Amino acid sequence: MDNSSERNLKVSKNFQKNLDYLNRELGVPDSFDIILREMSIGGKKIAIYSVNGMVNTEVVSIILDALVDLERADLVVNALQTLVKGRIVGLQVSEVDTMDKILYFILSGPMAIFVEGQDKAIIVDARSFPARAPSEPDIERVTRGARDGFTETLVFNTTLIRRRLRDPKLRMKLMQVGGRSKTDVCVAYIEDVTNEELVNEISEEIQKIKIDGIPMAEKSVEEFILGSKIWNPYPRVRYTERPDVAAVHLLEGHVVVLVDTSPSVMIAPATFWSHTQHAEEYRQEPIVGAYLRWIRFMGIFAALFLLPLWLACALNPHLLPEWLQFLGVEKVGKIGLIPQVFLAEFGVDLVRMAAIHTPGPLTVALGLIATFMIGDVAIKVGLFAQEIIVYLAIVTVGTFATPSYELAQANRLARLFLLVMVALNNFIGFAIGVLILFFLLWRTKSFGVPYLWPLLPLDLKALGTVLVRSPLPIKNKRPSILKPKDTIRQPQGHDE
């Protein structure tokens, strides 16, 4: 039998044939966590398949009690209808007639019930996943606002979005990816707002994914639907673990992609400026939010340009006017400035990676070691110039102030590129490097949306909302670049 026939195999009225097929496919009894219960009720054989740890045992007990009470006469005619409508109540129940779907449901958590002489199986959703409770994301904290965040369970995540958007037009389109993993992927959008072409493009690209599994969840999906560009580190979708951020983007006309087993969701399309905004700005007064945004802009600018620009100044002090001579280095040290800068950069990255893998109680000790035993001693023995430590500290703070972790990592690589260009040709190298980065960003697109919009192409009104955190009552239009079906967010305040 070929693979297509296997996938489309129908449930047989031969009870034992169905069990033999499922036992072979599921590895019963070799797989200890696949539970098969066989019993005889009302003179008919019944088999129940489930995965240990993925079903609610209390619900299973109620179902079994309901089945045991059945009489033979109840199962003579329309046995499935008797079970579905008469006995198994209060649960999501459906009838399935293909083995491929039955295997998918069993391995997803629901129970599958087979009745002798019936050519369909009953699927009972009695799932109880091992899952953690929603908690505030570590990298998207706010001083005021919601403290819940997405979890690794898809149903929990869609519920968190539904709680914020009680719109009947909110659509949650479910599909599966992975020939073996059968991972659930949900495409969320508002039907009468989001551009239909965008929804279709993302949905079709997801359906085209052909791979055995996606254990890395949303990142694997992103690389398939956008294509992996080796030389472009900048993220073309935005990730968030906050339901309120996802809801805001849905209202603007974006598409949100949720992948089961991942607490991060994808927001598409995304521009460079999408990664520079933070929920904290909208939890404060508009003027405070605007101030925070500009401080964040300065931090991102410093993280990208400060160290390469300082290195160019330090290597060419004779080109600086007298009032900028302080940018130079009093004492170079035992090795040149260029090796010092790269050693310091790699050292910070090494400490950061060590902090990720270090148990929580030991992170303070790691910080003390990095600060005093490495940084202070390195300056005293002449390995590093003290100015490098100062500027690198400012750059590191700017990196951590970047709202998007993916943008911070991309800027880190861009900064290393600029340092190489400065090392090769000083100020000219810096200028050439900046032009190359600008050209890269100008050429980048996310699902057809220019990455630098609304700067390029220029949209002054939209650019104003990027540069300044506008009060919501005057922010009446959805982003025009998304081509939403409904462009107005506050119709009652809109002049016809």
Side-chain angles (χ1 to χ4, degrees):
M1 188 180 293
D2 60 24
N3 290 336
S4 60
S5 299
E6 276 297 310
R7 286 194 295 270
N8 298 321
L9 182 66
K10 296 287 186 178
V11 177
S12 171
K13 288 189 175 182
N14 187 323
F15 180 77
Q16 192 57 46
K17 182 179 178 182
N18 294 330
L19 265 59
D20 290 342
Y21 176 81
L22 287 175
N23 289 344
R24 183 176 72 252
E25 291 297 310
L26 294 171
V28 178
D30 295 336
S31 297
F32 80 94
D33 60 334
I34 304 296
I35 307 300
L36 168 61
R37 295 181 177 88
E38 294 185 68
M39 60 192 76
S40 179
I41 296 175
K44 283 186 175 290
K45 294 180 180 178
I46 290 181
I48 302 176
Y49 283 91
S50 62
V51 178
N52 190 15
M54 295 182 72
V55 292
N56 189 317
T57 54
E58 294 181 2
V59 175
V60 173
S61 298
I62 294 172
I63 293 173
L64 291 177
D65 290 341
L67 294 179
V68 170
D69 291 339
L70 285 171
E71 300 293 339
R72 181 180 181 85
D74 296 328
L75 297 176
V76 172
V77 180
N78 294 329
L80 288 183
Q81 294 297 321
T82 300
L83 291 173
V84 172
K85 295 183 179 180
R87 292 291 178 170
I88 305 175
V89 295
L91 295 171
Q92 186 175 343
V93 182
S94 59
E95 299 177 17
V96 178
D97 61 357
T98 60
M99 285 297 186
D100 185 58
K101 289 184 178 179
I102 291 171
L103 285 169
Y104 162 73
F105 280 119
I106 292 173
L107 295 173
S108 297
M111 299 167 49
I113 303 176
F114 288 83
V115 180
E116 183 182 9
Q118 301 297 317
D119 58 0
K120 293 181 181 179
I122 304 171
I123 303 298
V124 183
D125 195 346
R127 282 179 280 195
S128 178
F129 287 117
R132 64 181 176 90
S135 58
E136 186 174 15
D138 287 334
I139 60 175
E140 294 181 273
R141 293 183 178 275
V142 292
T143 54
R144 290 177 54 240
R147 304 295 178 185
D148 56 351
F150 290 127
T151 71
E152 290 76 16
T153 306
L154 179 63
V155 177
F156 287 7
N157 297 342
T158 56
T159 301
L160 289 172
I161 294 177
R162 287 273 184 195
R163 186 181 178 189
R164 287 166 170 82
L165 293 178
R166 299 170 186 177
D167 186 347
K169 295 297 183 180
L170 175 60
R171 298 290 180 258
M172 301 281 188
K173 185 186 295 185
L174 188 67
M175 53 194 77
Q176 285 75 46
V177 173
R180 294 184 181 274
S181 68
K182 300 285 194 300
T183 305
D184 288 329
V185 178
C186 174
V187 178
Y189 60 97
I190 300 178
E191 188 176 37
D192 58 352
V193 171
T194 311
N195 185 342
E196 189 174 351
E197 293 181 3
L198 175 63
V199 175
N200 292 337
E201 179 184 357
I202 293 176
S203 301
E204 289 170 4
E205 290 297 327
I206 292 175
Q207 290 171 343
K208 289 178 184 177
I209 298 175
K210 303 298 180 185
I211 193 174
D212 55 354
I214 50 171
M216 292 296 105
E218 78 290 341
K219 185 58 183 175
S220 301
V221 173
E222 179 205 338
E223 292 184 6
F224 273 104
I225 64 178
L226 276 173
S228 181
K229 293 189 177 181
I230 298 175
W231 300 108
N232 190 347
Y234 282 92
R236 288 168 289 163
V237 297
R238 180 180 178 181
Y239 289 106
T240 184
E241 295 184 31
R242 296 189 61 90
D244 49 1
V245 173
V248 166
H249 282 82
L250 284 170
L251 289 171
E252 288 183 347
H254 291 81
V255 173
V256 172
V257 179
L258 306 92
V259 183
D260 195 24
T261 73
S262 173
S264 298
V265 306
M266 271 192 298
I267 299 171
T271 65
F272 178 87
W273 313 105
S274 303
H275 298 276
T276 63
Q277 300 181 23
H278 194 276
E280 177 72 14
E281 298 164 6
Y282 293 92
R283 297 290 184 177
Q284 307 293 338
E285 291 296 326
I287 186 66
V288 177
Y291 169 76
L292 294 176
R293 182 173 295 184
W294 273 96
I295 292 294
R296 191 168 285 113
F297 281 153
M298 287 190 285
I300 295 171
F301 181 87
L304 184 56
F305 298 115
L306 181 61
L307 195 58
L309 194 57
W310 172 82
L311 180 60
C313 293
L315 291 175
N316 302 274
H318 58 283
L319 298 178
L320 300 177
E322 187 173 345
W323 59 278
L324 287 179
Q325 288 296 320
F326 70 93
L327 293 176
V329 179
E330 290 185 5
K331 188 177 180 181
V332 174
K334 296 182 178 179
I335 60 175
L337 278 181
I338 294 174
Q340 286 185 44
V341 169
F342 283 101
L343 280 175
E345 279 276 10
F346 298 148
V348 169
D349 284 339
L350 192 61
V351 172
R352 181 182 59 83
M353 287 188 287
I356 293 174
H357 303 298
T358 301
L362 299 179
T363 52
V364 175
L366 176 65
L368 292 173
I369 292 171
T371 303
F372 296 107
M373 297 185 65
I374 297 178
D376 191 53
V377 173
I379 293 173
K380 288 182 179 179
V381 301
L383 183 61
F384 289 131
Q386 57 187 2
E387 290 86 356
I388 286 180
I389 303 300
V390 172
Y391 287 104
L392 188 62
I394 297 173
V395 165
T396 303
V397 171
T399 298
F400 290 140
T402 305
S404 166
Y405 180 77
E406 290 74 27
L407 179 62
Q409 293 298 94
N411 284 342
R412 188 188 305 273
L413 291 179
R415 184 173 68 246
L416 289 173
F417 167 71
L418 291 177
L419 287 171
V420 171
M421 296 299 291
V422 169
L424 292 176
N425 208 358
N426 299 322
F427 283 107
I428 296 177
F430 177 79
I432 294 173
V434 170
L435 288 175
I436 291 174
L437 285 178
F438 182 81
F439 181 77
L440 175 68
L441 295 176
W442 175 63
R443 292 284 298 170
T444 301
K445 289 187 177 181
S446 172
F447 294 101
V449 174
Y451 201 57
L452 290 178
W453 183 88
L455 181 61
L456 288 176
L458 183 62
D459 184 333
L460 288 177
K461 286 188 176 180
L463 185 61
T465 63
V466 167
L467 298 178
V468 180
R469 191 290 221 194
S470 305
L472 287 182
I474 67 172
K475 194 176 180 180
N476 195 32
K477 293 288 188 74
R478 293 186 171 90
S480 59
I481 198 70
L482 299 177
K483 300 177 182 177
K485 295 179 181 178
D486 182 5
T487 61
I488 306 300
R489 294 194 62 182
Q490 303 172 52
Q492 70 277 9
H494 177 61
D495 295 327
E496 295 294 340

